[in-house]
């Protein structure tokens, strides 16, 4: 078996919280040696839950543990001259630096792209920020909610007469990190071919402004019509589309359109009605009175069937459908158990816990073994001593001065 | 300063809906020659004809939008939804249901580096397309398969869109309104966005491997599995604590206030989030309500979360007479995370996006000249521009069949007659 694709690549990770760590997690998943530089107080993600057994403890944050598998941790105060030296020395042996500071911050410390490229002419620096390296908002604050509100199609999410909805959790930030990993990979590939360094500028704002998740469709539609998209109940895919209550929960069905609607009618035993109006007329299908008529027999029919029955029937008939699961349903789903998706990872503070698995499988190379997220500063001494050749005395002095 | 990272990489694609087309959009943006295969017998452009139902339906949701709302003679070439992702790609037609179609497909595979498809596996089975067959044609090929559920397991051949994968993964439930049934919301497709982005990462990983070893490979990319890490914090809360989250609306577990608030005007809103007590104090100062900073109900994030309904009412009182954009600037000036909810017009007129040249003007033969959302991230030493307007149906048949595959005019005409090559859908396609 050959090496994993990023084996031999080193990524110096100067990020915290969500976006940057998700990016370097992808790099680590496919073989990169990720050295996570944490402030002496730790990545603030360590202070954010969910905590193991709800104990607020820097080694028990589920958020941190999830985002930082397969990385090494080193504490360094980069606002000190010695700390900056350590970063410069590590940058020399790194292929990639990922950072998520406000634009200009690293430049002020002498650690910006222009500085690093002088000491490592093939360096790739990926900056993952709220709004990018330039422009009037570049220093603005943001959270997953406020950035999603500005960047994404939040305004069209939800019901017309209610308020717009976000997409829960840290998904939008994680996706920014996901795209940053892709951007970084493109730069690595380019460097393989040309030897050229690169500064990659990824922002939450543009990640979502350019997202295929409705945004680009809506923006092109605006360009074409001068009309902004609006929030509307039932997103407009027509009849038999959306989430319906069923016998034991809720089920998402998408059966609108000339191909799928007849399949759904057959599935619910109404196949022979398809030759009669209004069912035989595609234009009539989207009229409110048809929708009402359809719901009058479809809703009771759904209530007689379980999620499992519906799923199987849908798949037999070629109708798109899926149960509305809880995370518990997901963890118990035989499909993912059979595929070996979940990964048990041991950690001294949490014992063995199940984590989401790899995002995809490369069939020519094995996935690396998943190693738990590092304890705060777990690898500081090892890296200083064995890789940067600091003496014990020097390390002790750095410790005493609060640099590490 | 002039080459793109993926110059010289040829990608063949049989993609549907969003995740696949987004992956190939990104590959095309960064230089790959993407050839999208379509068929005149099956629409992959959401609509082949414009009839009463497509014209009248849901105008405000922009499902079907054409320049000036005129579908024109070939509506599928003018549709915003398709043109939003067809830039930097080539489009050809080929009927894979005929044996010669499969032959032509293999000829193309022989000359390509990457094949991407996001179909239910059984569809590819029917065409005899698998890693076993394609690797015989081209052992250096990278085959990226993006079905919803993977190539093994009980759901292998289950059909689904991004929204179904989000349902299975437990996401639909948590993102809903807290006070209504979980389904009372439209589709949103973060699983597709996540899939397209990571699929490009996966492709580059396989290119790296091929560069080292010379060998191609199969990438199994189950889009639902790729999405699950994006709700990993919820998954760990369950696996560590047995905790399940119900519908969350716009609330957050660790921040309060954390909501959107109505502003002056119709459907105008601002999102405000306080990450900590410092943000809270800054917000109170801006509201000129210093008395609230140490109010027992709101003096730390736990209390603010507990009393969030009261808190939201107080903030709403303050925001509802304000202009969203002005308020956003006012709050950002003091460092409170705040953002107005953009509509499409706001985006097109936004000074930040303008300063970063995010939108780009393109001229399309059948749609005219318009601004389009541009490249999603910047590379300092590489061009960041859309270099090709959205590909029209069958636009690149001549190039691919004649130049690339070497068919002469006579053969080309025959393939046209036999339903492989065309610029319009068969009349049977809705």
């Amino acid at each position: 078996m050959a090496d994993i694709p990023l084996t031999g690549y080193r990524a110096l990770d100067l990020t915290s919280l969500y976006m940057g760590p998700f990016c370097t997690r992808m790099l680590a998943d496919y073989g990169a040696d990720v050295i996570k530089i944490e402030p002496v107080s730790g990545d603030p993600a360590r202070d954010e839950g969910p905590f193991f057994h709800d104990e607020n403890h820097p080694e028990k944050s589920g958020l941190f543990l999830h985002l930082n598998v397969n990385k090494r941790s080193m504490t360094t105060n980069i606002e000190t001259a010695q700390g900056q030296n350590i970063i410069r020395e590590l940058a020399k042996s790194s292929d990639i630096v990922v950072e998520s500071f406000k634009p200009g911050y690293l430049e002020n410390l002498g650690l910006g792209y222009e500085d690093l490229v002088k000491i490592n002419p093939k360096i790739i620096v990926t900056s993952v920020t709220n709004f990018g390296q330039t422009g009037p908002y570049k220093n603005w604050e943001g959270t997953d909610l406020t950035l999603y509100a500005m960047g994404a199609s939040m305004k069209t999410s939800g019901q017309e007469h209610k308020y717009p909805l976000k997409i829960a959790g840290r998904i939008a930030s994680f996706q920014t990190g996901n795209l940053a990993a892709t951007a970084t990979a493109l730069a690595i590939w380019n460097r393989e071919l040309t030897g050229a360094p690169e500064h990659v500028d990824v922002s939450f704002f543009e990640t979502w402004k350019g997202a295929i998740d409705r945004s680009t469709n809506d923006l092109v539609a605006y360009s074409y019509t001068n009309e902004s998209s609006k929030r509307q109940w039932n997103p407009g895919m027509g009849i038999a589309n959306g989430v319906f209550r069923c016998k034991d929960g809720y089920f998402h069905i998408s059966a609108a359109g000339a191909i799928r609607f007849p399949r759904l009618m057959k599935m619910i035993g109404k196949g022979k009605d398809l030759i009669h109006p209004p069912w035989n007329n595609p234009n009539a299908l989207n009229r409110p009175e048809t929708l009402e008529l359809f719901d009058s027999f479809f809703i009771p029919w759904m209530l007689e069937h379980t999620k499992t029955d519906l799923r199987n029937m849908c798949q037999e008939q070629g109708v798109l459908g899926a149960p509305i699961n809880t995370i518990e349903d997901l963890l118990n789903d035989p499909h993912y158990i059979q595929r070996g998706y979940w990964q048990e990872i041991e950690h001294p503070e949490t014992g063995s816990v199940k984590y989401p698995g790899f995002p995809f499988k490369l069939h020519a190379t094995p996935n690396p073994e998943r190693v738990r997220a590092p304890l705060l500063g777990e690898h500081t001494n090892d890296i200083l001593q064995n890789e940067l050749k600091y003496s014990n005395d020097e390390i002790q002095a750095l410790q005493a001065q609060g640099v590490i | 300063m002039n080459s793109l990272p993926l110059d010289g990489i040829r990608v063949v694609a049989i993609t549907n809906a969003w995740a696949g087309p987004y992956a190939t959009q990104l590959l095309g943006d960064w230089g790959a020659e993407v050839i999208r295969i379509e068929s005149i017998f099956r629409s992959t452009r959401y609509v082949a004809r414009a009839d009463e139902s497509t014209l009248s339906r849901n105008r405000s949701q922009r499902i079907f939008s054409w320049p000036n709302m005129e579908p024109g003679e070939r509506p599928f070439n003018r549709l915003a939804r398709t043109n939003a992702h067809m830039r930097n790609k080539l489009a050809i037609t080929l009927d894979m249901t005929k044996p010669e179609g499969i032959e032509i497909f293999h000829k193309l595979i022989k000359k390509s580096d990457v094949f991407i498809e996001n179909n239910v596996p059984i569809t590819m089975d029917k065409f005899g397309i698998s890693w076993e067959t394609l690797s015989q044609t081209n052992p250096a090929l990278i085959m990226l398969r993006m079905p919803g559920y993977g190539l093994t397991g009980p759901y292998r051949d289950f059909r689904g869109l991004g929204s179904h994968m989000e349902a299975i993964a437990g996401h639909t439930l948590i993102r809903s309104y807290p006070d209504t049934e979980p389904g009372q919301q439209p589709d949103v497709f973060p699983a597709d966005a996540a899939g397209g982005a990571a699929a490009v990462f996966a492709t580059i990983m396989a290119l790296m491997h091929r560069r080292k070893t010379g060998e191609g490979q199969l990438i199994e990319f189950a889009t639902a599995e790729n999405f699950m890490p994006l709700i990993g914090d919820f998954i760990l809360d369950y696996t560590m604590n047995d905790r399940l989250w119900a519908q969350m609306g716009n609330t957050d577990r660790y921040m309060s206030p954390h909501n959107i608030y109505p502003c002056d005007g119709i459907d105008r809103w601002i999102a405000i989030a306080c990450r900590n007590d410092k943000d809270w104090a800054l917000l109170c100062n801006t509201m000129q309500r210093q008395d609230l900073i140490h109010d027992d109900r709101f003096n730390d994030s736990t209390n603010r979360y507990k009393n969030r309904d009261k808190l939201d009412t107080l903030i709403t009182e303050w925001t509802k007479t304000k202009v969203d954009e002005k308020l956003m600037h006012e709050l950002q000036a003091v460092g409170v995370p705040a953002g107005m909810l953009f509509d499409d017009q706001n985006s097109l007129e936004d000074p930040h996006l303008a300063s970063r040249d995010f939108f780009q003007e393109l001229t399309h033969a059948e749609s005219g000249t318009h601004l389009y959302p541009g490249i999603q991230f910047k590379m300092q030493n590489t061009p960041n521009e859309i270099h090709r307007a959205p590909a029209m149906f069958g636009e690149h048949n001549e190039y691919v069949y004649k130049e690339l595959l070497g068919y002469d005019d006579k053969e080309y005409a025959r393939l046209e007659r036999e339903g492989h090559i065309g610029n319009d859908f068969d009349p049977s396609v809705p």
Side-chain angles (χ1 to χ4, degrees), chain B residues 33-337:
Chain B
E33 181 183 88
V34 174
I35 301 172
R36 187 191 204 204
I37 298 178
E38 300 178 274
S39 161
I40 68 168
F41 299 106
R42 189 174 162 269
S43 174
T44 37
R45 295 193 170 226
Y46 314 108
V47 67
R49 320 276 156 212
D51 56 17
E52 187 206 323
S53 77
T54 45
L55 279 168
S56 65
R57 206 196 309 173
N58 301 304
R59 289 200 50 175
S60 66
Q61 264 285 334
R62 306 272 135 241
I63 299 296
F64 297 109
S65 295
W66 295 277
N68 307 320
M69 286 314 277
E70 289 158 13
E73 261 176 58
R74 299 195 293 175
F76 46 86
N77 281 343
R78 286 168 60 83
L79 189 69
R81 225 171 162 202
T82 316
N83 288 351
H85 68 68
M86 285 303 289
R87 90 264 190 114
N88 294 340
K89 295 180 190 176
L90 311 182
I92 65 158
T93 58
L94 178 61
D95 182 7
M96 306 269 289
T97 64
K98 297 189 177 90
E100 193 176 2
I102 299 293
E103 249 174 68
I104 297 168
F105 172 74
H106 276 268
K107 282 184 189 166
L108 197 50
I109 286 298
K110 206 168 188 140
K111 297 194 162 224
S112 299
D113 302 284
V114 180
F115 170 57
I116 297 190
E117 60 92 11
N118 67 324
N119 301 273
V120 65
I122 199 169
T123 302
M124 291 292 115
D125 294 350
K126 282 179 199 153
F127 296 141
I129 294 176
S130 64
W131 171 244
E132 284 66 38
T133 56
L134 295 194
S135 59
Q136 277 173 26
T137 301
N138 181 357
L141 183 76
I142 290 156
M143 183 187 197
L144 173 60
R145 303 192 67 173
M146 303 174 68
Y149 303 109
L151 298 175
T152 62
Y155 305 159
R156 177 188 191 264
D157 289 319
F158 280 18
R159 285 155 209 277
L161 301 171
S163 46
H164 304 102
M165 291 148 212
E166 289 148 27
I168 293 246
H171 174 235
T172 308
L173 188 65
I174 53 176
R175 76 174 185 227
S176 303
Y177 289 111
D179 53 348
T180 50
E181 297 203 351
Q184 301 297 303
Q185 57 167 326
D187 291 344
V188 293
F189 305 102
D192 290 331
V200 174
F201 181 89
T203 305
I204 295 164
M205 291 305 107
L207 284 169
M208 302 274 289
H209 177 78
R210 191 178 75 168
R211 196 175 146 80
K212 269 192 268 186
T213 64
E215 68 175 350
Q217 67 174 302
L218 168 68
I219 308 170
E220 183 177 358
F221 192 111
T223 45
E225 291 178 1
N226 174 68
F227 179 65
M228 289 170 200
L230 275 77
I231 51 168
D233 42 345
F234 291 92
I235 291 172
L236 261 73
D237 206 4
Y238 175 72
T239 58
M240 294 189 314
N241 299 320
D242 287 328
R243 181 177 292 117
L244 293 174
W245 286 85
Q247 297 114 281
M248 301 180 73
N250 292 328
T251 62
D252 188 85
R253 299 160 296 184
Y254 307 104
M255 285 183 250
S256 190
H258 186 280
N259 213 334
I260 59 162
Y261 302 93
C263 292
D264 183 40
I266 298 164
D267 205 27
R268 304 303 306 183
W269 305 83
I270 190 161
I272 300 173
C274 288
R275 296 160 296 191
N276 46 43
D277 295 344
K278 187 182 149 226
D279 287 348
W280 167 239
L282 292 170
L283 175 65
C284 291
N285 287 335
T286 313
M287 288 168 68
Q288 295 184 308
R289 287 296 307 268
Q290 285 82 351
D291 59 302
L292 296 175
I293 299 175
H294 302 293
D295 188 310
D296 308 344
R297 296 166 301 171
F298 310 127
N299 57 0
D300 63 28
S301 67
T302 313
N303 285 332
R304 288 195 293 276
Y305 184 78
K306 218 189 306 167
N307 297 305
R308 63 188 182 277
D309 290 344
K310 182 126 272 156
L311 183 59
D312 285 345
T313 310
L314 279 167
I315 297 173
T316 299
E317 280 304 307
W318 178 66
T319 59
K320 70 182 186 194
T321 56
K322 308 272 183 197
V323 175
D324 53 0
E325 192 175 355
K326 262 181 77 180
L327 189 55
M328 168 173 80
H329 281 272
E330 198 181 333
L331 288 167
Q332 286 288 355
V334 296
V336 176

Side-chain angles (χ1 to χ4, degrees), chain A residues 54 137 163 170 223 315, chain B residues 159 177 241 243 252 350 371:
Chain A
D54 293 332
Y137 307 159
Y163 54 87
R170 304 284 177 264
S223 269
Q315 296 306 333
Chain B
R159 285 155 209 277
Y177 289 111
N241 299 320
R243 181 177 292 117
D252 188 85
D350 183 62
L371 286 171

Side-chain angles (χ1 to χ4, degrees), chain A residues 170-181:
Chain A
R170 304 284 177 264
I171 291 170
S173 298
F174 291 171
Q175 168 60 6
T176 306
N178 198 25
L179 189 67

Side-chain angles (χ1 to χ4, degrees), chain A residues 212-393:
Chain A
I212 201 144
D213 157 338
R214 299 167 300 143
S215 184
T216 49
N217 166 56
D218 293 353
L219 292 171
V220 176
Y222 179 82
S223 269
Y224 283 8
T225 63
N226 281 320
E227 227 181 295
S228 287
S229 297
K230 294 192 179 71
R231 214 161 49 257
Q232 195 178 51
W233 166 230
N234 200 331
M237 305 296 281
I239 206 160
N241 188 78
V243 177
F244 295 84
R245 196 187 266 268
C246 64
K247 199 172 183 177
D248 58 349
Y250 294 90
F251 196 83
H252 187 137
I253 220 155
S254 305
I259 295 162
R260 296 198 187 101
F261 186 70
R263 294 179 185 167
L264 178 80
M265 287 290 274
K266 278 178 207 138
M267 182 175 123
I268 65 175
K270 297 247 171 209
K272 49 185 191 309
D273 292 359
L274 284 165
I275 52 166
H276 303 300
W279 316 114
N280 61 350
N281 174 0
N283 294 334
L285 285 180
N286 296 303
R287 292 186 189 133
E289 60 273 22
T290 315
L291 194 63
E292 213 170 291
L293 178 63
F294 177 77
D295 282 351
S296 73
F297 54 77
F298 184 63
I299 289 173
W301 184 89
M302 287 292 283
L303 287 170
E304 285 167 19
H305 296 86
T306 63
K307 288 186 275 193
T308 310
D309 291 346
L310 287 166
R311 191 210 301 257
N312 292 335
M313 275 190 271
C314 277
Q315 296 306 333
E316 271 163 34
Q317 298 293 333
V319 171
L320 305 178
I324 302 295
N325 276 342
T326 63
I327 301 285
E328 183 179 22
D329 298 330
L330 174 67
L331 265 292
N332 292 326
D333 191 316
H335 179 76
Y336 295 105
I337 294 170
Q338 198 171 315
R339 281 176 60 75
Y341 178 69
W342 305 109
Q343 294 196 311
E344 291 273 350
I345 301 178
E346 272 295 315
H347 185 282
E349 294 290 342
T350 67
S352 178
V353 166
K354 272 193 188 119
Y355 288 59
F358 287 91
F360 55 86
K361 236 181 246 166
L362 295 168
H363 279 224
T365 56
N367 286 326
E369 211 175 303
R370 273 264 168 84
V371 179
R372 65 164 172 81
L375 307 175
L376 179 59
E378 187 175 351
H379 306 94
T380 310
N381 278 3
D382 176 38
I383 292 166
L384 285 175
Q385 218 163 26
N386 298 325
E387 299 190 21
L388 301 182
K389 309 293 176 203
Y390 280 61
S391 70
N392 272 337
D393 290 350

